[in-house]
Amino acid sequence: LAGLQQRLAEAMAELERQRHKAAGWQRQQQHLTAELHTLRTQVKVVREALERKGNTVFAEVVAVAQQHDSALRDAEEARAQLELVAEVQAAGQRALLEAQREARESREEREELRRL
């Protein structure tokens, strides 16, 4: 009987150790579950922030691309205007040279007529 009581006491002690161990594992599991929940929440917050930032950056890229296209159109228009100004300037210079030639010829003719 004493041997059975000893084995029962040992079994009860082992059961108590296992209960404590299980309780420790349960506390650790609860802690890890809470930590996992916190991490998932943080990941969600970061993901949402990154999505917002990505959307903002995308909108900024679109705006910059539109500004770039507009600047290219403006530059092309300015180049065309400069070409037109250069053509008008060249035509004006040709007209001026022609007028100077005609004036010189007219002077020369008058001088020739005075000599006669």
Side-chain angles (χ1 to χ4, degrees):
L1 183 63
L4 284 176
Q5 287 177 337
Q6 175 67 28
R7 285 178 47 192
L8 179 60
E10 289 172 359
M12 292 299 283
E14 179 62 25
L15 178 62
E16 193 59 32
R17 278 194 302 275
Q18 292 299 324
R19 282 184 184 158
H20 285 295
K21 194 174 184 181
W25 284 109
Q26 189 175 14
R27 282 190 304 276
Q28 185 176 7
Q29 180 186 7
Q30 289 170 346
H31 173 73
L32 291 173
T33 301
E35 189 175 335
L36 179 60
H37 177 71
T38 299
L39 291 172
R40 283 182 176 162
T41 301
Q42 289 174 350
V43 165
K44 181 181 177 186
V45 168
V46 168
R47 184 180 60 239
E48 290 170 353
L50 287 174
E51 283 180 17
R52 284 191 305 275
K53 183 65 175 175
N55 291 339
T56 300
V57 168
F58 180 76
E60 290 172 356
V61 166
V62 168
V64 167
Q66 290 171 343
Q67 290 173 352
H68 178 261
D69 291 345
S70 177
L72 285 176
R73 284 190 299 275
D74 290 348
E76 181 61 29
E77 185 178 320
R79 187 191 60 74
Q81 289 175 352
L82 284 173
E83 287 177 2
L84 182 60
V85 166
E87 289 173 15
V88 168
Q89 184 181 16
Q93 194 167 12
R94 285 190 301 273
L96 176 62
L97 289 173
E98 179 64 22
Q100 288 174 341
R101 185 189 61 74
E102 289 174 1
R104 187 180 64 247
E105 287 176 359
S106 177
R107 254 191 331 268
E108 289 173 357
E109 287 176 8
R110 279 192 312 256
E111 287 177 12
E112 188 65 35
L113 285 176
R114 263 189 261 143
R115 287 188 210 149
L116 294 177

